[in-house]
Short mmCIF file of all heavy atoms in Angstrom, two decimals:
data_model
loop_
_atom_site.label_atom_id
_atom_site.label_comp_id
_atom_site.label_asym_id
_atom_site.label_seq_id
_atom_site.Cartn_x
_atom_site.Cartn_y
_atom_site.Cartn_z
N PHE A 269 9.63 -11.00 2.40
CA PHE A 269 10.27 -12.07 1.77
C PHE A 269 11.71 -11.72 1.35
O PHE A 269 12.64 -12.56 1.40
CB PHE A 269 9.50 -12.63 0.65
CG PHE A 269 8.19 -13.19 1.12
CD1 PHE A 269 6.98 -12.84 0.51
CD2 PHE A 269 8.10 -14.21 2.04
CE1 PHE A 269 5.75 -13.35 0.85
CE2 PHE A 269 6.80 -14.78 2.43
CZ PHE A 269 5.70 -14.35 1.84
N GLY A 270 11.81 -10.57 0.76
CA GLY A 270 13.22 -10.02 0.45
C GLY A 270 13.97 -10.85 -0.56
O GLY A 270 13.68 -11.11 -1.75
N GLU A 271 15.05 -11.50 -0.04
CA GLU A 271 15.98 -12.35 -0.79
C GLU A 271 15.25 -13.66 -0.87
O GLU A 271 15.52 -14.49 0.01
CB GLU A 271 17.34 -12.32 -0.15
CG GLU A 271 18.41 -13.24 -0.91
CD GLU A 271 18.94 -12.65 -2.14
OE1 GLU A 271 18.72 -11.39 -2.29
OE2 GLU A 271 19.52 -13.34 -2.80
N VAL A 272 14.50 -13.89 -1.86
CA VAL A 272 13.61 -15.12 -1.82
C VAL A 272 14.30 -16.48 -2.19
O VAL A 272 15.26 -16.56 -2.86
CB VAL A 272 12.35 -15.04 -2.72
CG1 VAL A 272 11.57 -13.81 -2.34
CG2 VAL A 272 12.83 -14.91 -4.17
N ARG A 273 13.93 -17.45 -1.37
CA ARG A 273 14.58 -18.73 -1.44
C ARG A 273 13.48 -19.64 -2.17
O ARG A 273 13.85 -20.77 -2.53
CB ARG A 273 14.78 -19.43 -0.10
CG ARG A 273 15.87 -18.61 0.74
CD ARG A 273 17.18 -18.86 0.24
NE ARG A 273 18.05 -17.55 0.60
CZ ARG A 273 18.52 -17.39 1.78
NH1 ARG A 273 18.35 -18.18 2.80
NH2 ARG A 273 19.35 -16.29 1.97
N GLN A 274 12.33 -19.14 -2.49
CA GLN A 274 11.37 -20.06 -2.93
C GLN A 274 10.42 -19.21 -3.94
O GLN A 274 10.14 -18.00 -3.56
CB GLN A 274 10.39 -20.53 -1.83
CG GLN A 274 9.32 -21.38 -2.06
CD GLN A 274 8.45 -21.65 -0.91
OE1 GLN A 274 8.90 -21.83 0.22
NE2 GLN A 274 7.19 -21.60 -1.02
N VAL A 275 10.17 -19.68 -5.16
CA VAL A 275 9.25 -18.93 -6.02
C VAL A 275 8.18 -19.83 -6.48
O VAL A 275 8.55 -21.06 -7.03
CB VAL A 275 10.09 -18.42 -7.24
CG1 VAL A 275 9.17 -17.71 -8.22
CG2 VAL A 275 11.32 -17.54 -6.89
N PRO A 276 6.92 -19.58 -6.36
CA PRO A 276 6.32 -18.33 -5.87
C PRO A 276 6.38 -18.38 -4.30
O PRO A 276 6.64 -19.47 -3.66
CB PRO A 276 5.00 -18.18 -6.38
CG PRO A 276 4.62 -19.73 -6.50
CD PRO A 276 5.88 -20.40 -6.94
N GLN A 277 6.11 -17.21 -3.60
CA GLN A 277 6.08 -17.19 -2.23
C GLN A 277 4.73 -17.35 -1.68
O GLN A 277 3.77 -16.77 -2.24
CB GLN A 277 6.60 -15.75 -1.66
CG GLN A 277 8.14 -15.58 -2.13
CD GLN A 277 8.23 -14.79 -3.40
OE1 GLN A 277 7.62 -13.89 -3.68
NE2 GLN A 277 9.08 -15.37 -4.29
N ASP A 278 4.54 -18.02 -0.63
CA ASP A 278 3.21 -18.15 0.07
C ASP A 278 3.37 -17.98 1.62
O ASP A 278 4.45 -17.57 2.05
CB ASP A 278 2.64 -19.58 -0.28
CG ASP A 278 3.32 -20.75 0.24
OD1 ASP A 278 4.28 -20.56 1.12
OD2 ASP A 278 3.21 -21.86 -0.35
N GLU A 279 2.34 -18.39 2.34
CA GLU A 279 2.38 -18.10 3.76
C GLU A 279 3.49 -18.88 4.56
O GLU A 279 3.81 -18.53 5.69
CB GLU A 279 1.14 -18.41 4.47
CG GLU A 279 -0.05 -17.50 3.99
CD GLU A 279 -0.64 -17.93 2.55
OE1 GLU A 279 -0.27 -18.86 1.99
OE2 GLU A 279 -1.46 -17.20 2.05
N GLN A 280 4.01 -19.86 3.91
CA GLN A 280 4.99 -20.79 4.60
C GLN A 280 6.43 -20.28 4.29
O GLN A 280 7.37 -20.86 4.79
CB GLN A 280 4.89 -22.22 4.16
CG GLN A 280 3.54 -22.89 4.29
CD GLN A 280 2.92 -22.53 5.70
OE1 GLN A 280 3.55 -22.65 6.70
NE2 GLN A 280 1.67 -22.21 5.74
N THR A 281 6.59 -19.39 3.25
CA THR A 281 8.01 -18.92 2.77
C THR A 281 8.68 -18.29 3.95
O THR A 281 8.04 -17.37 4.56
CB THR A 281 7.83 -18.18 1.63
OG1 THR A 281 7.08 -18.86 0.59
CG2 THR A 281 9.20 -17.79 1.09
N ASN A 282 9.99 -18.54 4.16
CA ASN A 282 10.73 -17.72 5.12
C ASN A 282 10.94 -16.32 4.83
O ASN A 282 11.05 -16.02 3.59
CB ASN A 282 12.11 -18.47 5.30
CG ASN A 282 12.02 -19.79 6.00
OD1 ASN A 282 11.03 -20.00 6.73
ND2 ASN A 282 13.05 -20.56 5.90
N PHE A 283 11.04 -15.47 5.87
CA PHE A 283 11.43 -14.16 5.60
C PHE A 283 12.85 -13.89 5.51
O PHE A 283 13.60 -14.51 6.37
CB PHE A 283 10.73 -13.18 6.76
CG PHE A 283 9.17 -13.34 6.78
CD1 PHE A 283 8.64 -13.25 8.09
CD2 PHE A 283 8.44 -13.39 5.75
CE1 PHE A 283 7.20 -13.35 8.14
CE2 PHE A 283 6.94 -13.43 5.78
CZ PHE A 283 6.39 -13.49 7.05
N HIS A 284 13.21 -13.00 4.68
CA HIS A 284 14.69 -12.63 4.63
C HIS A 284 14.64 -11.17 4.10
O HIS A 284 15.02 -10.94 2.99
CB HIS A 284 15.47 -13.48 3.60
CG HIS A 284 16.91 -13.14 3.65
ND1 HIS A 284 18.04 -14.17 3.60
CD2 HIS A 284 17.65 -11.91 3.57
CE1 HIS A 284 19.07 -13.60 3.51
NE2 HIS A 284 18.92 -12.26 3.58
N PRO A 285 14.20 -10.13 4.89
CA PRO A 285 14.04 -8.80 4.42
C PRO A 285 15.38 -8.16 4.02
O PRO A 285 16.32 -8.53 4.54
CB PRO A 285 13.44 -8.06 5.65
CG PRO A 285 13.77 -9.01 6.86
CD PRO A 285 13.82 -10.35 6.36
N ARG A 286 15.31 -7.26 3.03
CA ARG A 286 16.54 -6.71 2.62
C ARG A 286 16.51 -5.22 2.73
O ARG A 286 17.29 -4.47 1.89
CB ARG A 286 16.54 -7.06 1.06
CG ARG A 286 16.69 -8.50 0.70
CD ARG A 286 18.16 -8.93 0.62
NE ARG A 286 18.64 -8.44 -0.74
CZ ARG A 286 19.86 -8.43 -1.12
NH1 ARG A 286 20.69 -9.00 -0.22
NH2 ARG A 286 20.25 -8.07 -2.31
N SER A 287 15.56 -4.63 3.55
CA SER A 287 15.80 -3.16 3.75
C SER A 287 15.16 -2.93 5.23
O SER A 287 14.43 -3.85 5.77
CB SER A 287 14.77 -2.43 2.81
OG SER A 287 13.42 -2.95 2.93
N PRO A 288 15.48 -1.70 5.81
CA PRO A 288 14.97 -1.38 7.09
C PRO A 288 13.34 -1.50 7.02
O PRO A 288 12.73 -1.94 7.96
CB PRO A 288 15.44 -0.06 7.31
CG PRO A 288 16.66 0.00 6.65
CD PRO A 288 16.44 -0.80 5.40
#
Side-chain angles (χ1 to χ4, degrees):
F269 295 125
E271 180 74 11
V272 297
R273 301 283 152 81
Q274 177 189 323
V275 179
Q277 298 89 48
D278 62 21
E279 294 80 5
Q280 308 310 320
T281 307
N282 286 341
F283 298 142
H284 184 143
R286 297 263 288 170
S287 63

